[in-house]
Amino acid sequence: MKLSLALNNNRNLRYVTFLYLYVMQGVPAGFALTAMANYFTGKGLSSQSVGSFVAIVGIPWVLQFFWGPIIDRYQYSVIGHRKQWIVLTQLMALIASLGLLYINNPIGELTTVSAAFFIHSIFASVQDASVDALAISIVPENERGRVNAFMRGGFLAGIALGSAGLSLVLYHYGFHAAVLSQSALLFILTTFTFFTKLDPADRYLPNFRQRTSDKTNVKENPKLGWLFRQLFSGLMKKDNFNTFIVIATVYTCNGVFIRSFSFYLIHNLKWQYNDVSVLQGGWCTIATIAITVIGGIIADKLVPTILQLRVMIGIGLFLIILGLSHNLWLFKPYSGTGLILWNLADPMFSVAAMPILMSLCIQKVEGSQFTAYMALVNLCDVVGAYLSGWMMAITPAPTIGLICGVAVLFLGVWGYVRRKRELSIKPF
């Protein structure tokens, strides 16, 4: 398979490319939000401090709301549609990763660590926005479930490398060794991106000696003001808004639960932070990716809304059962199994929800709108992490799990009943 065939002409190449692009995004996320968060918890930092660290690292991902229109404003170039954004931000994220080497004592320099990861997240979030915009621009509608499965699968694989893999390096060899390992992987994947073409006519580098011909081959970029107006219209459309609110609520509940559960295992049950990271990102990762890909195929064949509601009901029941059986959390095999099963539940919801969000996007600003949805989803995770830190100060993790489970189950059942009622009144 030649790269000159390009993503636009080769379905299998699209799958492979989006898989490794999301691996590249998952590694830093797993390292910062799981390995480092669990490391800080294991070293005795408070839940509020850990929650604040996670929130700070996640703030740039919320700003994707603003990156999207800017990326769409300058989306065309002679090296490929949106590719200039992807390559540039990957290089800057690599430099930011190397900058972490200047930190000698992560525990004693928590503010500096938070600022360094914040800077890295800025470039990583622009990269993520660019890849999301590229995906919705070039992926046919009948492939979106499968491509989203590969994207999510790649992200999970990256998280596994970042959380479990880099946590092992962090535990045995120290912070600098973990940073160097992350940076080496980012460098390799950035090289892959540079040599991947989106279209056979694309160049690897701009040719400034042929500016006239370049302009004839590059489409005209839309105006920024028009992009923002169309984006606002697409987001605030009643059906779009109501659909997203439900999805956002589920993501927020997911974020609240997993942060509180992980903290409880390390702080209250005295698990080694490394053990939690390995379970979260290591064991059963292959099975999770396989289930995610199968879920993507199902999403292309079923009505996405039905799949989403079924997954929501399953997640709600899972959280309620886990919360009610909190006395069994003392047994490591039981709580560990709960953590592993959660690795299956959350990705399945993403596979069900992402095609729905893609279908809401307006043509010509689909990149900006989908990126805005991703930014808001990231905001849900940031809010969830922040809320969990403060909620654990007033209520235990099992109660938090119950609250989240009831909320998700209610939304799932309510949506399912509402859909059945709507179908029953439609004329034949």
Side-chain angles (χ1 to χ4, degrees), residues 356-421:
I356 294 174
L357 294 179
M358 282 185 168
S359 68
L360 303 180
C361 297
I362 299 174
Q363 192 175 9
K364 294 185 178 181
V365 293
E366 63 268 34
S368 296
Q369 189 172 345
F370 186 63
T371 299
Y373 284 136
M374 293 301 95
L376 294 172
V377 165
N378 293 330
L379 175 61
C380 295
D381 187 57
V382 171
V383 171
Y386 189 77
L387 287 177
S388 69
W390 291 100
M391 289 178 68
M392 281 185 289
I394 58 176
T395 187
T399 304
I400 294 174
L402 277 173
I403 294 171
C404 293
V406 169
V408 174
L409 180 62
F410 171 79
L411 288 174
V413 173
W414 173 74
Y416 197 80
V417 171
R418 182 182 177 186
R419 180 170 178 81
K420 287 191 67 175
R421 186 184 301 126

Side-chain angles (χ1 to χ4, degrees), residues 126-418:
V126 180
Q127 172 198 340
D128 179 59
S130 304
V131 174
D132 287 340
L134 175 65
I136 198 171
S137 298
I138 70 172
V139 175
E141 188 171 350
N142 63 348
E143 291 182 25
R144 285 178 175 176
R146 279 164 289 181
V147 168
N148 270 289
F150 276 92
M151 290 159 66
R152 186 63 184 177
F155 191 67
L156 289 171
I159 286 180
L161 290 171
S163 58
L166 293 183
S167 180
L168 288 171
V169 177
L170 180 65
Y171 184 79
H172 292 289
Y173 302 104
F175 179 71
H176 285 175
V179 170
L180 281 172
S181 300
Q182 172 183 262
S183 301
L185 184 59
L186 295 182
F187 174 76
I188 294 171
L189 296 180
T190 298
T191 303
F192 287 168
T193 304
F194 179 80
F195 287 106
T196 299
K197 287 187 175 183
L198 308 181
D199 188 88
D202 291 342
R203 298 173 177 171
Y204 292 120
L205 293 170
N207 189 336
F208 298 103
R209 295 181 180 180
Q210 299 180 2
R211 294 187 179 183
T212 302
S213 61
D214 287 347
K215 291 180 180 179
T216 60
N217 293 329
V218 178
K219 297 180 181 179
E220 183 180 356
N221 287 304
K223 300 297 183 182
L224 192 59
W226 179 84
L227 282 168
F228 272 106
R229 289 192 297 271
Q230 292 295 105
L231 173 60
F232 182 80
S233 174
L235 293 175
M236 299 310 296
K237 186 178 178 181
K238 183 178 179 181
D239 291 342
N240 294 2
F241 182 81
N242 292 339
T243 299
F244 180 74
I245 286 297
V246 173
I247 293 174
T249 302
V250 176
Y251 273 113
T252 302
C253 290
N254 290 352
V256 169
F257 166 73
I258 193 57
R259 299 298 174 191
S260 61
F261 189 43
S262 300
F263 187 88
Y264 188 88
L265 294 179
I266 298 171
H267 187 266
N268 295 71
L269 301 185
K270 307 304 179 183
W271 281 37
Q272 284 288 335
Y273 70 85
N274 183 61
D275 292 340
V276 176
S277 297
V278 169
L279 272 178
Q280 283 182 284
W283 302 113
C284 123
T285 297
I286 295 177
T288 302
I289 294 173
I291 291 174
T292 302
V293 172
I294 293 171
I297 296 172
I298 294 173
D300 281 337
K301 295 182 178 181
L302 291 181
V303 178
T305 305
I306 295 297
L307 180 61
Q308 176 199 348
L309 294 174
R310 290 176 180 176
V311 173
M312 287 170 60
I313 292 172
I315 291 176
L317 291 173
F318 169 77
L319 292 178
I320 291 172
I321 293 172
L322 192 63
L324 291 175
S325 60
H326 63 90
N327 289 331
L328 298 176
W329 290 12
L330 291 169
F331 300 98
K332 199 168 184 177
Y334 184 82
S335 50
T337 301
L339 194 60
I340 290 174
L341 289 176
W342 180 254
N343 284 346
L344 304 178
D346 184 60
M348 280 298 297
F349 180 71
S350 293
V351 169
M354 292 304 107
I356 294 174
L357 294 179
M358 282 185 168
S359 68
L360 303 180
C361 297
I362 299 174
Q363 192 175 9
K364 294 185 178 181
V365 293
E366 63 268 34
S368 296
Q369 189 172 345
F370 186 63
T371 299
Y373 284 136
M374 293 301 95
L376 294 172
V377 165
N378 293 330
L379 175 61
C380 295
D381 187 57
V382 171
V383 171
Y386 189 77
L387 287 177
S388 69
W390 291 100
M391 289 178 68
M392 281 185 289
I394 58 176
T395 187
T399 304
I400 294 174
L402 277 173
I403 294 171
C404 293
V406 169
V408 174
L409 180 62
F410 171 79
L411 288 174
V413 173
W414 173 74
Y416 197 80
V417 171
R418 182 182 177 186

